[in-house]
Amino acid sequence: MRRLPWGYRVRFSVESDDGGPRGTTTRRRGVAGVTDGERGREFVEGRFDRWWTRFLAKGLDRYDLQNLRDDIGAWEEWCETFAAVGEEHAEHGREAEAAGNATTAGEHFLRASMYCHFGSFAWFVDEGRRERVHRRGVELWERAAPHLDPPAERIEAPHPGGADVPGYLRVPGGTPDGLDESPLVILLSGLDSTKEEQHTRASDFHARGIATLSVDGPGQGEMWYTRTMTPDYHEAISAVVDHVEGVDDVDASRLGVYGVSIGGFYAPHVAANDDRFDACVGLAGPFSVGPASLYRSVSMRDGFLHACRADSFVEADEITERMTLRGDIEDLTAPALMIAGGNDTVIPPEQTRRIAERAPNGELLYYPDGDHVCKNRVTQYRPYAADWMRERLV
């Protein structure tokens, strides 16, 4: 493994989201260790503190966020309050579209989609309401799609399990170094994210002439309705590659995969099981997902139960304990860049380091002060990772 110059180990500790010890696993559907009624103002404040930088990075308005923080008194109110703000931005989008201002319309619809996404992404109080807001977010993103630069095309790749894999393909107008077609990077989300949230990371590649395809895999986003989390995640992504191999303007023989958080596990898992991938980036991913019941983060525990459609951690653990690179890592022969932060309180950085050390062509980009997915080092790791991927695909 080639270790980058600033890489070194730091002491690591894990805390629960609320700063206290991990609770018991007795729960109502969608709630781990605490009932919805106990998730009041203090819990809501904690969510804003934890996700504030993520909200801003995805284009949410600081003034809106401050008002939402003041207005939401309990977790039960979170989903629909966020969605209401999304509808305000959607109205601005319709007005801009009617006036012929396509770029502005796209910006408004995209922002509206993000409010719906963040209203529903880790909220499992009422599945009917969550689904309604999630699907509305997808609808708004697709309203933005033709107005984006580059525009997005929805694809649905046939999957052997009978459920299509949905995604957004975006191909930039120019190609790198005079290539006839753009290389392609497939973007994979984490436990609580979806393909709609990947637009910022996709822009790094578009600026370098590389096409992107953001997808929902089993247990994620739209695909959750038909396929739950599975140790065979790679089969869905291989089906996506089959589907795009003949797409015009895309050179699928120059293929990369990039995953974030649990997606940082999926990316090397996919590349190890499909030798068509030429490069792999994994951000803050675990070598082994392990038992869902051992995670100390409230949102992670909720998320695993939801992704697995499980009523108990006994059921969820049966799935997540089988999600490991232990039998795959030697097959990850493509160049693999793993990125980790020393202050990650969700995925221990030693887990990500282990992928880099065990992969035949692995290397580690390590930020001693980096938090989970290195949100506090975005301006450093994102251009580095995009340049690294470009060098290997071009």
Side-chain angles (χ1 to χ4, degrees):
M1 180 191 75
R2 179 169 69 87
R3 181 173 290 117
L4 299 171
W6 50 84
Y8 62 93
R9 293 184 182 276
V10 297
R11 192 175 299 277
F12 173 79
S13 63
V14 179
E15 295 179 347
S16 65
D17 281 355
D18 54 10
R22 179 163 53 87
T24 65
T25 60
T26 57
R27 58 186 290 274
R28 292 208 321 263
R29 176 79 181 169
V31 181
V34 63
T35 65
D36 295 329
E38 295 172 316
R39 294 184 171 185
R41 179 68 186 174
E42 184 177 356
F43 187 86
V44 169
E45 290 278 353
R47 301 311 91 188
F48 275 105
D49 289 341
R50 186 176 184 84
W51 296 325
W52 189 267
T53 55
R54 181 174 175 179
F55 294 157
L56 294 177
K58 301 304 177 180
L60 273 61
D61 180 77
R62 186 182 296 270
Y63 179 72
D64 285 343
L65 289 172
Q66 190 57 61
N67 286 338
L68 283 164
R69 185 170 190 148
D70 293 340
D71 291 344
I72 300 175
W75 185 237
E76 197 276 339
E77 303 168 11
W78 178 282
C79 181
E80 289 174 327
T81 309
F82 263 77
V85 176
E87 292 303 332
E88 294 175 7
H89 288 276
E91 178 60 26
H92 295 320
R94 288 188 289 270
E95 292 171 356
E97 198 172 52
N101 299 320
T103 299
T104 301
E107 292 170 351
H108 283 305
F109 286 131
L110 183 59
R111 190 172 295 111
S113 173
M114 286 298 95
Y115 281 101
C116 290
H117 166 66
F118 285 119
S120 62
F121 81 129
W123 189 87
F124 312 116
V125 176
D126 182 303
E127 184 52 46
R129 284 188 283 164
R130 190 208 69 84
E131 178 177 348
R132 186 163 56 251
V133 172
H134 167 250
R135 291 192 184 277
R136 177 59 172 158
V138 173
E139 179 183 300
L140 289 167
W141 208 99
E142 293 182 357
R143 188 79 177 265
H147 304 310
L148 302 179
D149 183 18
E153 174 189 354
R154 182 180 174 93
I155 67 103
E156 294 184 355
H159 183 273
D164 291 347
V165 184
Y168 301 124
L169 178 65
R170 301 179 66 186
V171 183
T175 58
D177 295 346
L179 295 178
D180 293 333
E181 296 179 313
S182 293
L184 178 66
V185 172
I186 296 179
L187 300 174
L188 307 179
S189 299
L191 182 64
D192 60 7
S193 188
T194 65
K195 63 188 180 303
E196 286 75 29
E197 198 182 342
Q198 299 305 322
H199 62 280
T200 50
R201 192 164 284 105
S203 66
D204 298 336
F205 294 105
H206 303 154
R208 292 162 175 80
I210 297 173
T212 60
L213 177 55
S214 305
V215 301
D216 287 334
Q220 298 172 319
E222 288 184 89
M223 203 174 183
W224 176 86
Y225 300 109
T226 54
R227 292 293 301 275
T228 61
M229 178 175 272
T230 172
D232 298 320
Y233 184 97
H234 65 279
E235 294 178 354
I237 308 307
S238 291
V240 168
V241 178
D242 294 341
H243 184 73
V244 299
E245 281 187 324
V247 171
D248 291 340
D249 300 323
V250 171
D251 183 358
S253 70
R254 300 174 184 267
L255 187 63
V257 61
Y258 189 135
V260 182
S261 192
I262 295 299
F265 161 80
Y266 288 141
H269 165 70
V270 164
N273 282 277
D274 191 329
D275 61 11
R276 289 175 290 183
F277 286 93
D278 302 296
C280 167
V281 173
L283 173 60
F287 184 92
S288 295
V289 175
S293 58
L294 293 185
Y295 283 79
R296 305 191 69 157
S297 161
V298 171
S299 56
M300 290 289 282
R301 298 200 309 274
D302 280 356
F304 278 119
L305 289 166
H306 177 76
C308 295
R309 284 183 178 267
D311 291 318
S312 71
F313 283 116
V314 173
E315 297 174 50
D317 287 354
E318 289 288 336
I319 296 171
T320 61
E321 286 179 344
R322 294 165 55 207
M323 296 171 63
T324 178
L325 293 171
R326 191 171 294 111
D328 293 338
I329 193 66
E330 289 78 12
D331 296 324
L332 180 57
T333 56
L337 174 66
M338 299 297 117
I339 307 171
N343 289 331
D344 191 333
T345 59
V346 179
I347 303 295
E350 289 80 6
Q351 283 277 309
T352 308
R353 182 187 294 274
R354 185 181 178 190
I355 302 174
E357 291 179 345
R358 293 281 304 278
N361 293 299
E363 58 187 277
L364 180 70
L365 176 59
Y366 186 68
Y367 296 97
D369 63 344
D371 57 14
H372 183 52
V373 303
C374 295
K375 295 186 299 296
N376 58 334
R377 288 289 175 260
V378 166
T379 57
Q380 296 177 37
Y381 88 77
R382 272 181 45 184
Y384 184 95
D387 289 339
W388 182 94
M389 183 70 80
R390 181 184 183 279
E391 289 172 7
R392 276 128 193 100
L393 299 186
V394 177

